[in-house]
């Protein structure tokens, strides 16, 4: 700029023109499973790096964290449920964008882990609990096929095979566990 006395002054500016407003382009979060590693990179468009990511409302599933610098949602979820949360990304120009997600964390698959049962003796009290992992409490136990040895029964809420065997022999049967969400394992 020059004034009427021919004084001159100058100033250099840097001006950034973005093609459009900053936005979060990640549209959804895939479901996670309790105990299984989870990783998802959130993505932004029309942003000037470096970016800063944060959770501004809601709650991430226990065991997951959002890396502020990289937008990486990662960890191993510990609790099943539905978790709504809102993230915000900010770039170096001060522009921000927000997006709301709901991350579903499924329970571990229902699995019966007991594969063999100890032998019993005729007329001697027998008690063995069949063990399972995963699923959504509570479990309902039943005999899916075959027949239990005479004198034994399966606890429908405990999964315990108990009683006093009445006959010698080898007995083949299949037990089934059904969780409160309807998942089954045999």
């Amino acid at each position: 700029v020059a004034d009427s006395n021919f004084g001159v002054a100058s100033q250099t500016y840097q001006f950034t023109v973005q093609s459009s407003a900053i936005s979060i382009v990640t549209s959804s979060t895939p479901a996670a499973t309790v105990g299984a590693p989870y990783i998802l990179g959130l993505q932004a468009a029309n942003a000037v790096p470096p970016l800063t990511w944060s959770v501004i409302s809601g709650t991430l599933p226990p065991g997951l964290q959002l890396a502020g610098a990289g937008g990486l949602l990662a960890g191993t979820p510990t609790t099943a449920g539905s978790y709504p949360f809102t993230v915000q990304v900010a770039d170096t120009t001060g522009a921000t964008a927000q997006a709301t997600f709901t991350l579903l964390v499924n329970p571990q698959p229902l699995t019966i882990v007991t594969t063999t049962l100890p032998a019993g003796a005729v007329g001697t009290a027998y008690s063995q609990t069949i063990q399972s992992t995963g699923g959504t409490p509570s479990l309902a136990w039943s005999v899916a096929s075959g027949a239990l040895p005479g004198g034994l029964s399966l606890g429908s809420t405990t999964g315990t095979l108990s009683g006093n065997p009445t006959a010698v022999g080898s007995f083949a049967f299949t037990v089934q566990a059904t969780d409160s969400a309807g998942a089954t394992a045999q």
Side-chain angles (χ1 to χ4, degrees):
V1 64
D3 65 12
S4 59
N5 294 326
F6 302 104
V8 178
S10 66
Q11 175 66 46
T12 302
Y13 297 97
Q14 181 164 346
F15 183 74
T16 302
V17 178
Q18 293 179 273
S19 61
S20 63
I22 184 175
S23 64
I24 296 175
V25 295
T26 303
S27 61
S28 64
T29 55
T33 301
V34 169
Y38 185 86
I39 189 165
L40 175 67
L42 300 176
Q43 301 291 319
N46 304 315
V48 180
L51 306 179
T52 303
W53 294 84
S54 58
V55 176
I56 60 170
S57 69
T59 305
L60 292 177
L64 294 185
Q65 296 178 0
L66 176 63
L72 193 63
L73 181 60
T76 302
T78 59
T79 307
S82 181
Y83 298 89
F85 59 94
T86 301
V87 295
Q88 177 174 287
V89 62
D91 71 4
T92 56
T93 69
T96 62
Q98 298 174 0
T100 299
F101 301 100
T102 298
L103 179 55
L104 176 64
V105 178
N106 294 311
Q108 285 181 316
L110 178 60
T111 305
I112 295 176
V113 295
T114 301
T115 58
T116 60
L117 295 169
V122 171
T124 303
Y126 183 90
S127 181
Q128 182 68 36
T129 300
I130 299 170
Q131 301 293 320
S132 66
T133 61
T136 304
S138 309
L139 298 182
W141 293 87
S142 61
V143 177
S145 66
L148 297 177
L152 295 184
S153 63
L154 179 65
S156 64
T157 60
T158 62
T160 301
L161 184 62
S162 62
N164 291 307
T166 59
V168 174
S170 180
F171 301 88
F173 55 92
T174 301
V175 296
Q176 177 172 298
T178 304
D179 73 5
S180 62
T184 62
Q186 294 187 351

